[in-house]
């Protein structure tokens, strides 16, 4: 039953009690169907809900997001997966609906960060989607509805404590939003500016060859950035996010982080990864951990000893040259930035991870240098004129 106020388990941390959420002069636009969501759960829920709602509006496809600590680990639309992606996402044995495909992609973007995620789905959650979630470590979900079969399965998660929220699709918040910090109230107009192809009109690069699919990926990146803690950079490909660099103080660190995640996303599809001999009883989180360590350049010998518990045979590591050879096949990646690039080092790093298309606000004193770098790499770049900071 809906009300105008709900008591929370606690605030951001367990010692921050009491805590509640309320809405003035209205009924709360959601219903908790299962579990007891926390303060942070709701922050993830409402940020992620806005993202998937807008992604569906922009693309026309069902959308999903995997959120952690008020930023997306991944976001995607529901288009079919390749056999390689199905294997990399551990969904080969599931008949995927469009909604399920969207979530498989969203969670597959950064499987380590998605561990214990909050899930947002733009459409009714079906059994196919719930089946993926039943095998995943996740805190909760927000969606406009659930089939009876999906709801029954999801209610079994976390010993019956899995958080399930049903959101009112027709809810529209007030134009002005407020926030209190240290006893002082801030007020601003909500960031309701639409993300659409109008933002891709100002092409500043010499190369103007871009496909509709690449444009869609740029829009997916921009919508994702709109709900990602700043500074942030987003890499997108094939209808999904493949790397997010969120909450960094330096733009180049955003780019490096997003690029490194995109690299690892692609390396997960390397034949050597598919050949890893996991024991039959190895859990999906254990498999994700071993794959992450197998592909990392910083894995310690102590960590490698733990592989014997999960693998029937400890494999040889991929060499630097083998990784570089595989990553050289990563092409046509789209990149979005929530603010301008101050230096060309961002472009140089992005090029190493297959970036071909870029959208950013522009407005830097060194815009000429950024354009010059894109032209050197044969990239297509748009100046959107729209900054997308989110805090």
């Amino acid at each position: 039953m809906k009300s105008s106020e709900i008591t929370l388990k606690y605030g951001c941390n367990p010692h921050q009690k009491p805590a509640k959420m309320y809405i003035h002069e209205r009924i709360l636009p959601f219903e908790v169907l299962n579990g007891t969501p926390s303060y942070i759960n709701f922050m993830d829920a409402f940020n992620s809900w806005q993202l998937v709602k807008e992604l569906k509006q922009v693309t026309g496809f069902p959308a999903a997001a995997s959120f952690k600590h008020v930023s997306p680990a991944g976001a995607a639309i529901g288009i079919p997966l390749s056999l390689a992606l199905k294997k990399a996402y551990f969904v080969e044995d599931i008949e995927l609906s469009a909604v399920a495909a969207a979530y498989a992609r969203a969670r597959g973007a950064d499987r380590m960060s998605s561990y214990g995620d909050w899930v947002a789905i733009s459409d009714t959650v079906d059994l196919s989607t719930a089946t993926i979630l039943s095998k995943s470590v996740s805190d909760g979900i927000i969606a406009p509805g659930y089939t009876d079969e999906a709801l029954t399965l999801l209610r079994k998660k976390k010993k019956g404590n899995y958080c399930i929220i049903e959101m009112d699709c027709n809810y529209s918040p007030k134009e002005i939003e407020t926030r209190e910090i240290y006893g002082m109230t801030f007020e601003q107009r909500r960031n309701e500016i639409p993300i659409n192809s109008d933002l891709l009109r100002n092409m500043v690069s010499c190369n103007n060859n871009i496909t509709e699919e690449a444009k869609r990926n740029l829009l997916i990146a921009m919508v994702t950035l709109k709900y990602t803690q700043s500074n942030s950079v987003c890499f997108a490909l094939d209808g999904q996010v493949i790397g997010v660099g969120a909450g960094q103080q330096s733009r180049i660190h955003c780019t490096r982080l997003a690029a490194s995640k995109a690299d690892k996303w692609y390396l997960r599809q390397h034949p050597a990864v598919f050949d890893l001999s996991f024991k039959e009883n190895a859990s999906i989180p254990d498999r994700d951990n071993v794959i992450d360590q197998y592909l990392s350049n910083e894995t310690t010998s102590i960590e490698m000893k733990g592989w014997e518990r999960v693998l029937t045979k400890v494999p040889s590591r991929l060499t630097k040259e083998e990784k570089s050879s595989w990553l050289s096949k990563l092409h046509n990646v789209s990149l979005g930035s929530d603010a301008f690039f101050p230096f060309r080092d961002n472009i140089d790093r992005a090029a190493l991870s297959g970036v071909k298309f870029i959208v950013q606000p522009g407005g830097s004193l060194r815009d000429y240098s950024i354009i010059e770098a894109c032209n050197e790499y044969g990239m297509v770049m748009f100046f959107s004129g729209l900054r997308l900071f989110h805090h």
Side-chain angles (χ1 to χ4, degrees), residues 191-209:
N191 186 6
E192 293 183 309
I193 191 164
I195 303 298
N196 57 43
S197 57
D198 289 344
L199 298 170
L200 302 178
R201 288 180 174 176
N202 185 17
M203 184 181 290
V204 296
S205 57
C206 291
N207 184 0
N208 62 3
N209 186 17

Side-chain angles (χ1 to χ4, degrees), residues 367-380:
D367 275 349
Y368 69 92
S369 175
I370 309 304
I371 296 171
E372 185 178 74
C374 286
N375 288 337
E376 288 177 16
Y377 290 111
M379 294 177 179
V380 175

